[in-house]
Amino acid sequence: MDVVLSQLQFSLSITGPICLMLILGVVFKRIGLINENFTEVGSRLVFQVTLPAMLFISIVTTEHNFLAASHFINYGILSSLAFFIFTVVVVKVLFNTSPDQGVIIQSGFRSNTGIIGIAYVANAYGSEGVALAALYVAAITFLYNVQAVICLSPKGSVSGAKAAKIMANTIRKNPLIISIVLGMLCYLLAVPVPNVVIDAGNYLSRMTLPLALLCTGASLNLSALREEKYATWFASAYKLVIAPVLITLGAYLFGFRGIELGILFFMNASPVAAASYVMARSMGGNATLAANIIASTTVLSTFTCTLGVLILLSLGLIGA
């Protein structure tokens, strides 16, 4: 009984603070303490400044084993590709006449790795986990953007050249990827980073998760969940149960344990990324459905993730 309580306490120490910050975001928005403008500006500050700073600092201040990490990253990429193909097949069979196939497919594979996933990893493994997770985020972000274009574009309209262009634009414009690449270059080339930069970066880093989670909670529109229930709940269950189970099981079979298995679970147990709404809207998809799925998965992921952590702890597969 004591072991179970200890495992439950550890699980809640990971997901509980995140759930509380999301609730506070909702409450603060309701009582008028924060508004739409705060949410928009805060989200932009996180994406463009504080989260890149957090990822950069975590990389340059942590020891890395890139040979071991390469196997982890390669599995992440290949499993994401395989799961994307699986998702396309499942959605096309179950929603064969739906015009929203692309939105549902994107919701099935695109995790909020940059905010919720990083938050889970930071709570579980600290700066060491964040540094390793940053490499995963960089690789997967490339892939997510290309996959999103493929599934949201009309049939036959995506060429190899277009996918390559999307990849290039992602590299050039995404602050998270830029900060991770710069951090890796500084680390590999042993470029000295002044202490004043490290200290300032740590100040910004500590802002990241509270601000990001408050803005995420404030942006949730729970009343919208009444619309398009079947597609919303299917995509939510698929994202929060099928994705983490299959990808984590595959990682286990390939021999991953401990922090690597934990990161793979947390990243894929995270809710649908807010970027899926932006992509759906910009490419003429059902943006309302995308927003519904983001809201439902964000709320429910703290519960499903807690259960997943309990199961992995009870099996002795991730460290407490």
Side-chain angles (χ1 to χ4, degrees), residues 121-201:
V121 172
N123 286 350
Y125 301 115
S127 59
E128 179 189 358
V130 171
L132 182 57
L135 305 180
Y136 179 93
V137 170
I140 292 300
T141 300
F142 294 143
L143 196 56
Y144 279 172
N145 281 275
V146 175
Q147 290 172 335
V149 171
I150 292 171
C151 69
L152 291 169
S153 296
K155 187 176 181 181
S157 67
V158 179
S159 63
K162 184 172 182 179
K165 184 178 179 181
I166 294 294
M167 178 78 77
N169 286 335
T170 300
I171 297 171
R172 183 168 58 87
K173 296 179 179 179
N174 192 302
L176 306 185
I177 295 173
I178 292 170
S179 69
I180 292 167
V181 171
L182 287 176
M184 290 180 65
L185 287 175
C186 288
Y187 181 87
L188 293 172
L189 299 176
V191 176
V193 182
N195 286 336
V196 65
V197 174
I198 298 293
D199 291 341

Side-chain angles (χ1 to χ4, degrees), residues 61-173:
T61 59
T62 306
E63 291 294 324
H64 299 278
N65 183 344
F66 285 106
L67 179 60
S70 66
H71 300 300
F72 166 73
I73 300 303
N74 288 338
Y75 174 79
I77 293 170
L78 292 175
S79 63
S80 182
L81 280 170
F83 190 74
F84 171 71
I85 295 169
F86 174 69
T87 303
V88 170
V89 173
V90 170
V91 172
K92 287 189 177 295
V93 170
L94 297 180
F95 294 86
N96 60 326
T97 61
S98 174
D100 300 324
Q101 287 182 1
V103 172
I104 300 170
I105 291 168
Q106 183 183 215
S107 300
F109 72 82
R110 189 165 194 161
S111 293
N112 191 335
T113 57
I115 294 176
I116 306 294
I118 287 288
Y120 284 145
V121 172
N123 286 350
Y125 301 115
S127 59
E128 179 189 358
V130 171
L132 182 57
L135 305 180
Y136 179 93
V137 170
I140 292 300
T141 300
F142 294 143
L143 196 56
Y144 279 172
N145 281 275
V146 175
Q147 290 172 335
V149 171
I150 292 171
C151 69
L152 291 169
S153 296
K155 187 176 181 181
S157 67
V158 179
S159 63
K162 184 172 182 179
K165 184 178 179 181
I166 294 294
M167 178 78 77
N169 286 335
T170 300
I171 297 171
R172 183 168 58 87
K173 296 179 179 179

Side-chain angles (χ1 to χ4, degrees), residues 218-267:
S219 64
L220 292 177
N221 182 7
L222 302 181
S223 62
L225 295 180
R226 300 188 188 98
E227 302 173 26
E228 304 182 76
K229 291 181 180 178
Y230 177 61
T232 297
W233 291 112
F234 169 83
S236 299
Y238 192 93
K239 177 69 196 70
L240 298 178
V241 179
I242 304 300
V245 167
L246 290 184
I247 293 177
T248 306
L249 177 60
Y252 169 79
L253 295 176
F254 276 94
F256 292 102
R257 300 290 186 276
I259 187 171
E260 292 180 331
L261 186 67
I263 291 173
L264 287 166
F265 168 74
F266 288 127
M267 289 297 177

